[in-house]
Amino acid sequence: MTSTTAIRPFRIDIPQVRLDDLADRLRRAQWPDELPGVGDAYGVPGDRVRALAKYWREEFDWRALESRLNAYPQFTTEIDGEQIHFLHLRSSRADATPVLLVHGWPGSILEYLEALAPLTEPADPQAPAFHVVLPSLPGFGFSGPTRSTGWNRYRTARAWLELMDRLGYQRFGAIGNDAGSMIAPELGRLAPERVTGVHVTQLFSFPSGDPAEFEGLSAEDQGALQHLQWFLDNKMAFNTLHGQQPQTLAYALTDSPIGLLGWNAQLFGESLDPDFILGNVALYWLTGTAGSSIRFYYEDAHATEHPQGPTSTPTALAMFAGDFRSIRRFAERDHARIVAWNSYDPGLTGGGPNDAGGHYAAHEATDVLIADVRSFFGSLD
């Protein structure tokens, strides 16, 4: 194995000086003024950011999270010129199925930590077990900052195929959330002979503009369209800015932990526990990847490759109340072999329409998601 393809053990050890600097910046935070009585109409409310910042300053324990992560086998390898960080957990079960877990923004590998043990070592010996590979996306966390352009969903999918090849997994499943729900289907498109199935929590398929697509839509699908329109009208500023000027925003996110917290908190539901929110935010801060992570949106918006035709790999959707609501009619246009379509409401939403409960299902509703994953992969030949 050459040096460029070598797989090296990795251990997280953030220098104390970085933690001390973070604590100092949090203490010296300068807060913006805020109009009274406007709630979240102008963006994330100050009382929420102040409460999270106070928790970050006084209670959040990075070293505890670092220790938890270091309890898992971690590695790095160079793929396509970039250092890639990943967790690799092999099940003790001889019949385990290899799976690749793919996260998104502003999440991270932390999205899936609760799912690792039940996936690899299920309590029920009859339940499917899995060998798990969980990489940090290029430009995210310990896979960044990236040093080259072009890291969109397609280049990332090719990199993940290379990663699984290096680990000796010629056949495997792909599981995704958020950006992972865009990357995982591309894995199946690129290598249908290798990817046994794709399991996602969103199928991001939108109206094509053909009026005929709207004929006969159910009331449920009409509601999903209205929800999508609300999101486009009220919450898509991050997507536009990331897709057009990520570097302009990167200065603020890289210099101010409060700025990073406020920006990323807009997509962390109010029902999420503060340790999960701050763990994700701190991971970006301490690795200096607040700016490189959001470049994913720019690269995807400016991608020159646009594969034609639907994917053909067996695909399963498990969507959760409060999150993006996929519409099957549009999804079947883009994915020819949707074999499972399930919707769950485990009661995760705890706030208003900005709560976005359910988006981090692997963390918030682990048992529900794992059961759906097992059912899907257990049904495949």
Side-chain angles (χ1 to χ4, degrees), residues 89-97 117 119-122 129-132:
L89 289 76
R90 290 190 58 84
S91 172
S92 63
R93 291 259 298 272
D95 62 344
T97 299
L119 281 174
T120 54
E121 302 296 340
F130 302 89
H131 303 306
V132 173

Side-chain angles (χ1 to χ4, degrees), residues 14-15 18-19 22 62 142 260 281-289:
I14 298 297
R18 292 280 290 139
L19 299 178
L22 170 59
W62 168 261
F142 296 100
L260 177 62
V281 175
L283 187 60
Y284 285 87
W285 177 263
L286 294 170
T287 57
T289 55

